[in-house]
Amino acid sequence: MFFEDLTVYDYLAEDSFTDGESGFYGLWYRPTYVRLNVGWLEVGRPYSTGPVPGVFLEKLKAIQKLQRMNVCLGVHECDLCPPGEGPEGNGEVRIPGAPGLAYAAPSLIIHYITEHGYQPPEAFVDAVLAVDLDEWSAARWPDVPFPWIPDDAERLLE
């Protein structure tokens, strides 16, 4: 699935978080912030390549361990890799940017960076580096590691 970097995300109308500890509890809501695409790569489509700071990559990996966003039942295999050899992803990551803006990336973004040389936009790199990992690590369900969740978000607890 391809979306050009920094275009408006419109793949899903709602966002959802899954509780990372149980993998069961969910929170669904219609975002009131603008979501911009980052890292939605597809074979045959050009993308930016180049080095990324190591501290950025490590922080993005840590964020993905804390955040389970828009997890789908199906999976998407990296089609930049030979068929049957690429990793599979089934979710997304959200990174807060300026107030009212978030970056929406596929869960395979780390693979795209490390294995295919993808270089995300500088604004995304800066936003990842600005995330307070201590604050996000301290979040426990029903809180989620992401700002701007509306107070009236539907929380499904069973």
Side-chain angles (χ1 to χ4, degrees):
M1 178 175 313
F2 175 81
F3 298 107
E4 189 173 332
D5 279 349
L6 304 180
T7 58
V8 174
Y9 173 98
D10 62 2
Y11 181 57
L12 298 172
E14 295 180 344
D15 276 345
S16 66
F17 282 91
T18 302
D19 173 37
E21 290 183 18
S22 72
F24 182 73
Y25 299 121
L27 180 149
W28 284 263
Y29 64 97
R30 187 171 302 277
T32 57
Y33 50 87
V34 174
R35 300 170 291 174
L36 297 181
N37 294 306
V38 172
W40 296 88
L41 309 184
E42 185 175 272
V43 70
R45 302 286 197 128
Y47 57 89
S48 298
T49 59
V52 299
V55 66
F56 156 78
L57 191 57
E58 292 309 310
K59 195 160 196 183
L60 184 56
K61 288 177 183 178
I63 289 168
Q64 284 198 280
K65 288 180 182 176
L66 297 172
Q67 190 189 90
R68 295 177 47 94
M69 181 82 196
N70 290 348
V71 176
C72 300
L73 294 177
V75 294
H76 171 76
E77 181 180 349
C78 173
D79 65 359
L80 301 175
C81 291
E85 295 181 24
E88 297 175 336
N90 71 338
E92 301 175 10
V93 63
R94 288 290 179 278
I95 304 295
L101 181 128
Y103 298 99
S107 61
L108 287 175
I109 191 167
I110 291 171
H111 169 76
Y112 294 150
I113 293 167
T114 59
E115 299 302 318
H116 301 292
Y118 170 62
Q119 184 181 53
E122 187 175 338
F124 179 77
V125 172
D126 292 344
V128 166
L129 293 173
V131 168
D132 183 339
L133 279 176
D134 291 335
E135 181 181 326
W136 282 28
S137 295
R140 292 292 176 262
W141 194 260
D143 294 326
V144 295
F146 188 76
W148 315 323
I149 305 298
D151 291 338
D152 62 351
E154 180 181 0
R155 296 174 185 268
L156 298 181
L157 303 172
E158 296 184 13

